[in-house]
Every structure is written in C-alpha cells, then in structure tokens.
Amino acid sequence: DAEITQSPRHKITETGRQVTLACHQTWNHNNMFWYRQDLGHGLRLIHYSYGVQDTNKGEVSDGYSVSRSNTEDLPLTLESAASSQTSVYFCASSDSDRSPGNEQFFGPGTRLTVL
Amino acid sequence: AQKITQTQPGMFVQEKEAVTLDCTYDTSDQSYGLFWYKQPSSGEMIFLIYQGSYDEQNATEGRYSLNFQKARKSANLVISASQLGDSAMYFCAMRERELGNTPLVFGKGTRLSVIA
C-alpha cells in the first residue's frame, strides 16, 4: 500500500546543530507540505512544494529550508536548531487531481526536542 | 488571509449522544474548501470530512456531518452517537480554491472527551 513515512520519529538535539527530518511518500503525489504542531497553535505551515525543484515558504519558514530533488522526498532542514523549534513536525502530501475533497495525507509525525 | 477559529478548547459528551464542534472561518475567496481532521492520542492526523464552498448540501460521512452555513462563515462538525473512540483532538482547516492543492490553514483544535 502507498504510504507517507517520516524519520526519525523522535529526535533530541542541541541548540545550534543542523538537523534534517526526512519525509518519503510512495503515493507519487506532486504536492508535499511540512507543518509544525505546537500546543495552542494547531498546525502551521513551514514549507511546501508542488513538484521537483519547486519550493515555497509558509507562515513559519524562518530557520527552516527544504529541497525537492525527486517526487518522493521532501527533507526539512533546521539550519541551526533553536529551542523555539522544539515541536512535532508533520509531513503531508496530496495529488494534483483537481477534484473536490482532494485531502492531504499526513505522515506519523516527528517529535523534535532542542535542548 | 485565511483564518480558522475554533472557540472550544475542550468539550465533554456522553457516550451515544450527539456533539457539535464549532468552526468559523474568514476568507475573501469565493472558492474554498473546508476540512475536518481527527488526531487521536497516538498522534496521527485522520481526514474525516470535506465541504466545498459551492456545495449546496451539507457533507456527510457515516456518523460525521458538516453543518455548513456560508453566510455565517461556519463549518461545524456534528458527530452523532458518540463512541469512546471519538475521544481525540479535532481540527478544522481550510484551503483556498475548492478545486486545488494549496496548503491548509488550521484552527487551534478542540479536544473532545467522550464519557461512558
């Protein structure tokens, strides 16, 4: 079955270190998204991509970067981790089918702690 | 800019009763899509139901229905015959354009607790 996976599921790192969170989907979806979830804020958009070599900034993109070299993967990099980036990170993907209710499928999430 | 407001941080409901989770939205777009997702304690995000801005009828999916009132900009989720497994966080979300793949804007969520 097609799926979307994230790794690692849990990570603890130190302030100032570079961290990369992986997202891999086998749906062959063109559209991929990264969100972060914090108490009291719901999910907020970090970056997104509509296809290979395409990346766009979201609401809370400062301190994060993404690159899209193939359809399946959209890794999220924290250039210099900060304690404010302690959060749960969700990757999602969706098809380019222009049908109503074309929902996003979410990965299981990565819990990141920055000490 | 789009905005979703969920005014109920937490709610309790008796098992087998119906419950309504409130969601209001703000957008200047004429075309948009509204979603509800469920997040159980295990953490995954589960899609529940979708309503397009041009849909004339309220969406229904099993025990879930969406009470869509366009003029009031509300998209409340109704869960009928609540079950213990319905205990979870519920997020209302929207995207610009009814047909599209733009990112979602989420509300802060409502934590529903179902009591036996």
Side-chain angles (χ1 to χ4, degrees):
Chain A
D1 286 346
E3 61 178 355
I4 179 168
T5 57
Q6 294 183 233
S7 61
R9 295 293 312 278
H10 301 270
K11 184 165 182 70
I12 300 174
T13 191
E14 295 178 343
T15 302
R17 289 188 180 267
Q18 184 181 77
V19 177
T20 296
L21 308 182
C23 174
H24 179 78
Q25 52 95 4
T26 58
W27 294 96
N28 201 33
H29 287 165
N30 285 325
N31 313 303
M32 297 185 72
F33 311 85
W34 273 105
Y35 299 90
R36 61 176 287 176
Q37 182 179 14
D38 305 287
L39 278 174
H41 287 280
L43 281 76
R44 292 179 292 173
L45 180 68
I46 306 172
H47 282 285
Y48 59 104
S49 167
Y50 288 143
V52 175
Q53 302 301 328
D54 175 75
T55 61
N56 305 278
K57 293 182 178 180
E59 176 192 1
V60 291
S61 61
D62 286 349
Y64 303 94
S65 63
V66 293
S67 62
R68 187 90 179 268
S69 59
N70 59 52
T71 300
E72 295 79 20
D73 300 288
L74 186 68
L76 177 71
T77 297
L78 286 69
E79 304 293 345
S80 177
S83 58
S84 60
Q85 294 176 308
T86 292
S87 186
V88 178
Y89 291 84
F90 284 98
C91 180
S93 71
S94 70
D95 197 357
S96 292
D97 181 4
R98 292 175 60 78
S99 59
N102 183 17
E103 80 266 24
Q104 293 182 13
F105 296 88
F106 282 79
T110 293
R111 183 174 296 275
L112 176 68
T113 302
V114 183
L115 301 175
Chain B
Q2 299 169 324
K3 184 178 179 181
I4 294 284
T5 302
Q6 295 180 254
T7 58
Q8 307 153 313
M11 288 193 68
F12 291 89
V13 65
Q14 202 77 30
E15 193 178 10
K16 299 180 185 178
E17 297 290 314
V19 63
T20 298
L21 306 184
D22 293 342
C23 172
T24 58
Y25 60 91
D26 188 23
T27 181
S28 56
D29 298 323
Q30 295 300 309
S31 173
Y32 49 88
L34 296 156
F35 297 79
W36 278 92
Y37 280 84
K38 172 184 178 181
Q39 185 179 44
S41 58
S42 51
E44 71 267 33
M45 296 289 288
I46 302 168
F47 166 72
L48 294 179
I49 197 166
Y50 168 84
Q51 179 85 40
S53 57
Y54 293 120
D55 293 341
E56 295 186 350
Q57 292 195 334
N58 288 340
T60 59
E61 289 287 347
R63 295 186 298 111
Y64 304 108
S65 61
L66 200 153
N67 185 359
F68 180 47
Q69 298 189 39
K70 194 170 184 177
R72 299 179 63 181
K73 293 190 174 179
S74 73
N76 299 337
L77 178 70
V78 181
I79 305 174
S80 63
S82 296
Q83 302 172 356
L84 295 178
D86 294 334
S87 294
M89 280 290 288
Y90 289 82
F91 291 98
C92 181
M94 75 179 300
R95 68 162 182 235
E96 63 183 25
R97 297 200 296 275
E98 183 170 341
L99 300 178
N101 306 286
T102 53
L104 297 175
V105 174
F106 285 85
K108 295 182 179 181
T110 295
R111 181 171 298 282
L112 177 66
S113 298
V114 180
I115 305 167

